[in-house]
């Protein structure tokens, strides 16, 4: 299944949420069932905010288990698992 993406404003800043739903409940394929939120590096977000924003963007249940976090120049990304 193809990656989906949604861009929206949050607290006056541009936020991007990208996610790839699972194609199977039985087989785990790397990268599927994950959502990534990208935000400006100077914007502090806690896990509850990230989880809420991802849930709104994807329409899926988002878990708190952080899969990855990365800083890249002026952007930060956080990846969490999604159930969809």
């Amino acid at each position: 299944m193809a990656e989906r993406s949604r861009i929206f404003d949050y607290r006056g800043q541009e936020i991007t949420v990208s996610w790839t739903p699972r194609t199977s409940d039985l087989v785990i394929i790397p990268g599927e069932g994950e959502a990534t939120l990208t935000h400006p590096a100077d914007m502090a977000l806690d896990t509850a905010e990230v989880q809420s924003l991802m849930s709104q963007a994807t329409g899926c249940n988002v878990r708190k288990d952080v899969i990855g976090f990365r800083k890249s120049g002026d952007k930060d990304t956080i990846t969490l698992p999604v159930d969809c």
Side-chain angles (χ1 to χ4, degrees):
M1 186 167 280
E3 181 176 272
R4 300 174 185 178
S5 186
R6 182 167 173 214
I7 299 170
F8 55 98
D9 284 339
Y10 180 68
R11 297 193 309 205
Q13 304 268 0
E14 186 175 279
I15 302 290
T16 304
V17 175
S18 303
W19 71 100
T20 306
R22 290 196 188 282
T23 54
S24 170
D25 288 336
L26 302 174
V27 179
I28 296 174
I29 298 172
E32 287 189 359
E34 295 178 2
T36 300
L37 183 140
T38 303
H39 63 90
D42 62 350
M43 176 186 241
L45 296 172
D46 63 28
T47 305
E49 281 179 295
V50 171
Q51 196 175 11
S52 174
L53 291 166
M54 285 181 171
S55 182
Q56 290 173 38
T58 64
C60 303
N61 181 42
V62 180
R63 297 191 310 263
K64 291 189 226 181
D65 314 323
V66 176
I67 293 173
F69 179 79
R70 181 173 46 123
K71 291 183 174 285
S72 177
D74 62 347
K75 300 285 184 186
D76 287 354
T77 61
I78 186 167
T79 303
L80 299 175
V82 293
D83 293 324
C84 62

